[in-house]
Amino acid sequence: MTDNKKKPEWVPENASDGFTTEIVKGIEQNNSSGSARKFVKKKGRTTEEYVQGIRNGDRTILAQAITLVESNAKRHEDQAQAVINEILPYTGNSIRIGITGVPGAGKSTFIESFGSYLCEQGHRVAVLAVDPSSSVTGGSILGDKTRMETLTRNKNAFIRPSPSGGTLGGVNRKTRETILLCEAAGFDVILVETIGVGQSEVVVRSMVDFFLLLVLTGAGDELQGMKKGVMELADTILINKADGENRQRAKIARAEYNRILHYLQPATKGWSTKAYTASALYHEGMEEMWKIILRFLKTTKESGAFAERRDSQTKDWIHAMIKDYLETSFFTHPSIKTKLPVLENKVIQGDLNVTTAVKELIELFEA
């Protein structure tokens, strides 16, 4: 018997001749470190790889770059800003269109129809569909990408659904950076869809060139629009679902909106806001809508209003970043994290008023 073989420790008493009488030694694993198998962590992309991939129109790298920008992790922040700085020379060459409207107005259907039309005309369209965030997980709860199946499959379109994170107006706080990344990737039309649930849409207005309000007929939108003040922000009002038996009602609603708009100050200097009808379901009115936007571009660029708005938006971006930084710094401050729950309970129990509690917290933060 060789060294590699040995007798089994136990053999049954009535074992036959065919029972195993020898055990062959197995092959031992060579593990010089004596530790368990280690998994190699995937190496992250370099800033140069991100920039080059974006410039080449690589959708996978573009999506990864957007994820990097949206990350709240400190280790990602520096690289994200480095990528943004590198792609800045290749940005600003798109028309940025904000689209809002109450739930049920057909925003997703319109975007798919309008986006498909633009792709057919040779444009490259990026859709930033900002979903409402779940109050439990913070994740998206609508999934706009699943409702734009045709546009998703178009090679000239890129759809990026993102959770709003509770940001005012339903726009993710990183949407501005995402717009720049998409522009650097060669997309010349950027569509920003908001959740449109009655929150202030001023945030949307502050990052797009053209603001479109989608409305319905017979749903009280006329009064709701005036109450929200969103009509004063719109460059065009589009009455959607103007088809079938609803076509005539849509024409009546258009006339009513135009009467209202006559008394409102235009959202853009030198541009007259008007109402139109369309049927996104039947792809009607898409060509007319694009002609309106092109006319808007020509008018505002000739008057200087376009460049003036872009400059103003840059200032708004700076202020928004400052506010975001201060808010994050405040709530992550060790002393504030300890003291805040204590003061909250005192206010709830009636032992302390809100103003005094806030003043104490701010003094603690500034100390």
Side-chain angles (χ1 to χ4, degrees):
M1 183 183 299
T2 64
D3 293 338
N4 288 334
K5 299 179 181 180
K6 65 178 182 178
K7 291 291 184 179
E9 296 179 356
W10 175 83
V11 178
E13 295 180 357
N14 57 349
S16 61
D17 294 338
F19 187 82
T20 301
T21 56
E22 295 178 349
I23 299 177
V24 180
K25 186 178 181 181
I27 300 174
E28 295 182 1
Q29 182 177 358
N30 183 13
N31 190 350
S32 58
S33 63
S35 60
R37 182 181 177 184
K38 296 181 179 179
F39 291 92
V40 179
K41 186 177 180 180
K42 186 177 179 180
K43 184 181 178 181
R45 296 187 186 277
T46 65
T47 299
E48 291 72 20
E49 288 174 337
Y50 275 119
V51 174
Q52 191 62 42
I54 292 169
R55 294 290 298 126
N56 290 337
D58 190 312
R59 296 188 186 200
T60 300
I61 295 180
L62 173 60
Q64 292 172 351
I66 294 174
T67 300
L68 181 73
V69 166
E70 290 180 343
S71 174
N72 291 322
K74 290 293 183 182
R75 66 181 185 278
H76 294 153
E77 185 176 348
D78 290 342
Q79 187 178 24
Q81 295 311 308
V83 172
I84 293 295
N85 286 334
E86 290 293 326
I87 57 95
L88 275 178
Y90 312 105
T91 64
N93 298 318
S94 76
I95 171 67
R96 305 165 184 174
I97 304 170
I99 300 173
T100 190
V102 296
K107 293 189 294 295
S108 295
T109 304
F110 171 79
I111 289 173
E112 179 163 52
S113 180
F114 187 55
S116 297
Y117 167 78
L118 292 176
C119 289
E120 290 172 2
Q121 303 305 308
H123 295 280
R124 298 190 68 211
V125 181
V127 180
L128 308 182
V130 186
D131 290 347
S133 291
S134 165
S135 60
V136 178
T137 65
S140 302
I141 59 177
L142 282 184
D144 276 290
K145 197 168 184 177
T146 63
R147 300 201 301 273
M148 302 179 191
E149 294 180 1
T150 301
L151 191 58
T152 300
R153 294 192 296 268
N154 196 306
K155 65 178 182 179
N156 289 323
F158 175 79
I159 300 178
R160 176 68 182 207
S162 303
S164 67
T167 305
L168 185 63
V171 178
N172 187 281
R173 67 185 181 89
K174 298 295 185 180
T175 302
R176 288 181 174 89
E177 287 95 333
T178 302
I179 289 175
L180 297 180
L181 292 172
C182 291
E183 288 178 341
F187 293 96
D188 61 326
V189 180
I190 312 293
L191 304 179
V192 183
E193 178 194 5
T194 72
I195 58 178
V197 293
Q199 296 171 303
S200 173
E201 305 300 329
V202 176
V203 179
V204 188
R205 173 80 274 183
S206 70
M207 65 178 67
V208 297
D209 306 309
F210 183 89
F211 193 62
L212 176 63
L213 171 62
L214 290 182
V215 296
L216 296 169
T217 61
D221 284 330
E222 292 87 350
L223 292 177
Q224 185 179 23
M226 291 180 67
K227 183 174 63 177
K228 285 167 45 180
V230 69
M231 286 178 63
E232 296 179 345
L233 301 175
D235 292 307
T236 290
I237 294 178
L238 192 64
I239 301 148
N240 195 19
K241 302 185 180 181
D243 48 62
E245 297 179 354
N246 202 41
R247 193 183 299 272
Q248 187 59 34
R249 288 194 293 269
K251 291 181 179 179
I252 296 173
R254 180 184 63 190
E256 181 63 25
Y257 272 111
N258 280 326
R259 279 193 292 269
I260 297 171
L261 290 168
H262 180 72
Y263 297 100
L264 297 179
Q265 182 177 347
T268 302
K269 184 173 61 177
W271 175 257
S272 179
T273 302
K274 294 182 180 179
Y276 301 87
T277 60
S279 173
L281 183 62
Y282 294 100
H283 311 290
E284 297 174 358
M286 301 302 108
E287 182 178 359
E288 181 185 18
M289 188 68 250
W290 182 237
K291 287 181 178 179
I292 292 169
I293 294 173
L294 290 179
R295 191 164 67 246
F296 171 87
L297 273 177
K298 184 176 184 295
T299 301
T300 55
K301 285 187 175 182
E302 288 178 352
S303 68
F306 185 89
E308 184 180 329
R309 171 167 283 161
R310 284 281 178 101
D311 291 343
S312 176
Q313 289 174 351
T314 300
K315 294 178 182 178
D316 290 338
W317 186 0
I318 294 173
H319 296 169
M321 292 293 288
I322 292 172
K323 291 176 183 177
D324 182 65
Y325 175 80
L326 290 174
E327 182 179 358
T328 302
S329 299
F330 181 84
F331 286 105
T332 56
H333 192 283
S335 299
I336 297 298
K337 291 171 69 174
T338 302
K339 193 69 175 180
L340 182 59
V342 177
L343 295 182
E344 285 176 337
N345 289 330
K346 286 186 177 182
V347 172
I348 292 172
Q349 294 170 7
D351 298 331
L352 189 66
N353 66 68
V354 174
T355 302
T356 302
V358 172
K359 184 178 180 181
E360 185 175 340
L361 288 169
I362 291 177
E363 289 176 349
L364 181 64
F365 176 69
E366 294 178 341

